[in-house]
Amino acid sequence: MQLELRHLEAVCRIAEAGSLGRAALRLGISQPALSAQLRRIERVAGGELFLRGRHGVEPTPLGEFVLSKARLVLGEMDAIAAGARAVAPDTPLRLGCILLVLVDTLLGRLEQVLAGREIAVSVEHSATTLTRQLGAGRYDAVLYGEVNDHEVPLPEGTTARTLIPREPFCVRLSAEHPLAGKERIALAELAGESWMTLVEDDDGGPEALVAACERAGFTPSLRHRVADRKIHYGLIASGRAISLSQPTAPAAEGTVLRPLEGDPVTGRIRLAWNRSTVAARHAELLYRAAAEAYLANVANNPFHQEWWSARPELHPILTPE
């Protein structure tokens, strides 16, 4: 067997994720399949590339060497791809997003403002993966969120623009929950609940939740980590979990959304793009489409519509078409 680009990609993803399970999720394969692939790669390389432990994996000295070469090779391949796209502007626009509410209506808006251009939209579970892949040339632009003061690092050659500077997270809970009838819930009232987060929540959300709960006098139990919205809503409807939610989220059967007193956890939404593949005019059109997709969901919940209407300084600035 000879090492191929996909093998180098796998080694890099394992190192970035810190565990075979998370790397397998990002690569879209099963963990046993990735483990078997890693063993084959290690046989070719001549030794172990990672040390396995209770808390994940760490590169060995041989692993560090292979990683350094793999990143150089993959970087060159990405540079070739990005350069080719810059020369051929009619290629599809590749947009990566985390699972934001506005993604559901974004494609329709993009088809309006970028009429005639093919658009490929992919959803990732990791904001960090999105920005790294933006720098690597796999995406032309990415749309992601940050919670409280967390900042996702951006690679060189990219530009970012804040779409929504602040929105207050609310809580989604079962319609049968004792607090479901309240108009607004204090975070302290949720002590003892089981909280749910996304599989790859690296936007600062879990840390912000823990810090807010500790200020409210308790430590939250982060018991469930899922990636599928249907499973997410089902667990909440059954009363087995609650979760933070964007205030623009749509209704889900058997659940309710309620604002939190004092807005203890807030988020912002940002758009970043690769300057070598996205012209300034197209970046402006992307921003407009994302802004219109967000605004289309503001009325989903009256409490957020009222909050939003009272804060015009947070509204996206749309230049005339």
Side-chain angles (χ1 to χ4, degrees), residues 19-84:
S19 81
L20 288 173
R22 288 193 292 270
L25 183 69
R26 295 180 186 182
L27 290 166
I29 62 177
S30 70
Q31 183 171 335
L34 181 58
S35 296
Q37 185 180 66
L38 178 58
R39 287 194 295 271
R40 292 193 295 270
I41 295 170
E42 288 177 327
R43 282 198 295 271
V44 175
E48 285 192 334
L49 301 184
F50 297 95
L51 293 175
R52 286 78 159 172
R54 288 192 308 166
H55 302 295
V57 297
E58 289 288 340
T60 63
L62 175 60
E64 292 285 6
F65 172 79
V66 172
L67 276 167
S68 67
K69 299 302 181 183
R71 287 165 178 154
L72 283 175
V73 172
L74 293 173
E76 286 299 318
M77 294 302 296
D78 291 334
I80 292 172

Side-chain angles (χ1 to χ4, degrees), residues 247-248 291 293-306 308-309:
T248 52
Y294 182 89
L295 295 173
N297 289 285
V298 166
N300 281 349
N301 296 294
F303 64 82
H304 183 57
Q305 186 171 29
E306 181 181 355
W308 179 256
S309 297

Side-chain angles (χ1 to χ4, degrees), residues 166 168-169 184-187 215 259-266 307:
R166 185 162 64 96
F169 278 88
R184 187 171 292 270
I185 297 174
L187 194 55
R215 288 193 297 271
L260 292 167
E261 288 184 0
D263 302 335
V265 181
T266 62
W307 186 95

Side-chain angles (χ1 to χ4, degrees), residues 194-212:
S194 293
W195 292 82
M196 188 182 334
T197 61
L198 292 175
V199 171
E200 287 292 340
D201 237 342
D202 59 358
D203 57 2
E207 295 83 357
L209 174 62
V210 169

Side-chain angles (χ1 to χ4, degrees), residues 32-255:
L34 181 58
S35 296
Q37 185 180 66
L38 178 58
R39 287 194 295 271
R40 292 193 295 270
I41 295 170
E42 288 177 327
R43 282 198 295 271
V44 175
E48 285 192 334
L49 301 184
F50 297 95
L51 293 175
R52 286 78 159 172
R54 288 192 308 166
H55 302 295
V57 297
E58 289 288 340
T60 63
L62 175 60
E64 292 285 6
F65 172 79
V66 172
L67 276 167
S68 67
K69 299 302 181 183
R71 287 165 178 154
L72 283 175
V73 172
L74 293 173
E76 286 299 318
M77 294 302 296
D78 291 334
I80 292 172
R85 291 181 63 79
V87 174
D90 291 333
T91 53
L93 176 72
R94 302 164 303 170
L95 177 65
C97 311
I98 61 170
L99 198 60
L100 297 163
V101 172
L102 65 83
V103 172
D104 292 339
T105 51
L106 177 59
L107 187 56
R109 302 286 173 171
L110 286 173
E111 289 173 345
Q112 292 175 14
V113 302
L114 295 174
R117 184 167 185 184
E118 186 178 346
I119 304 160
V121 179
S122 301
V123 176
E124 302 274 0
H125 299 298
S126 164
T128 302
T129 296
L130 270 183
T131 55
R132 285 178 179 170
Q133 292 185 347
L134 174 66
R138 292 180 181 83
Y139 291 121
D140 300 308
V142 296
L143 196 63
Y144 61 98
E146 297 172 327
V147 181
N148 281 8
D149 297 326
H150 182 81
E151 293 186 9
V152 177
L154 289 172
E156 292 184 9
T158 64
T159 297
R161 185 176 177 186
T162 298
L163 181 73
I164 305 298
R166 185 162 64 96
E167 62 173 7
F169 278 88
C170 56
V171 62
R172 188 183 289 275
L173 38 77
S174 169
E176 303 300 321
H177 195 286
L179 298 174
K182 296 192 66 173
E183 290 187 3
R184 187 171 292 270
I185 297 174
L187 194 55
E189 295 179 278
L190 300 172
E193 297 285 347
S194 293
W195 292 82
M196 188 182 334
T197 61
L198 292 175
V199 171
E200 287 292 340
D201 237 342
D202 59 358
D203 57 2
E207 295 83 357
L209 174 62
V210 169
C213 290
E214 288 179 346
R215 288 193 297 271
F218 69 98
T219 299
S221 172
L222 305 179
R223 294 188 58 189
H224 303 282
R225 296 174 68 83
V226 300
D228 184 271
R229 271 187 185 171
K230 190 172 181 180
I231 296 174
H232 183 99
Y233 293 155
L235 281 171
I236 295 174
S238 69
R240 295 165 60 192
I242 65 174
S243 75
L244 288 180
S245 172
Q246 282 188 266
T248 52
E253 186 177 357
T255 75

